[in-house]
Amino acid sequence: EEKDSIKKRKNDETTEIVSTRLVNAAEKGDLNQVKTLLKDPLVDPSFVAERDDWGEKTVLREAAMSNHVEVVRALLEDG
């Protein structure tokens, strides 16, 4: 039971790291990185439009606000 709890916590932390990388790549307009991360099984497709803990950022919003049209397209098609 304790091992399962540790494993879940590690998986949650890994998912958070991968999701943060996706936000950062979208903000920077790194299309290749965005596409790679969207294929990662740790990225929940709903995360693309999900707001952060403060109700502000979404991956899609950050890409759009930074005028990264190709990233927005990739997020809509693959996310």
Side-chain angles (χ1 to χ4, degrees):
E1 188 175 306
E2 185 177 342
K3 287 182 182 181
D4 288 340
S5 176
I6 292 170
K7 185 176 179 181
K8 183 185 180 321
R9 191 176 75 232
K10 284 184 179 181
N11 191 42
D12 289 348
E13 290 170 3
T14 303
T15 300
E16 185 175 336
I17 290 167
V18 172
S19 298
T20 299
R21 287 181 183 160
L22 180 59
V23 171
N24 292 338
E27 286 176 327
K28 293 177 184 174
D30 188 339
L31 182 60
N32 290 330
Q33 182 71 6
V34 167
K35 286 183 174 186
T36 298
L37 290 168
L38 286 173
K39 293 176 186 174
D40 191 311
L42 292 174
V43 173
D44 180 347
S46 69
F47 180 75
V48 169
E50 189 174 293
R51 294 188 180 271
D52 65 12
D53 292 340
W54 299 277
E56 297 175 6
K57 288 185 179 182
T58 69
V59 177
L60 186 58
R61 178 184 181 273
E62 292 307 305
M65 294 296 290
S66 299
N67 203 30
H68 299 304
V69 177
E70 293 300 318
V71 171
V72 170
R73 186 173 287 122
L75 291 168
L76 291 173
E77 291 173 357
D78 302 330

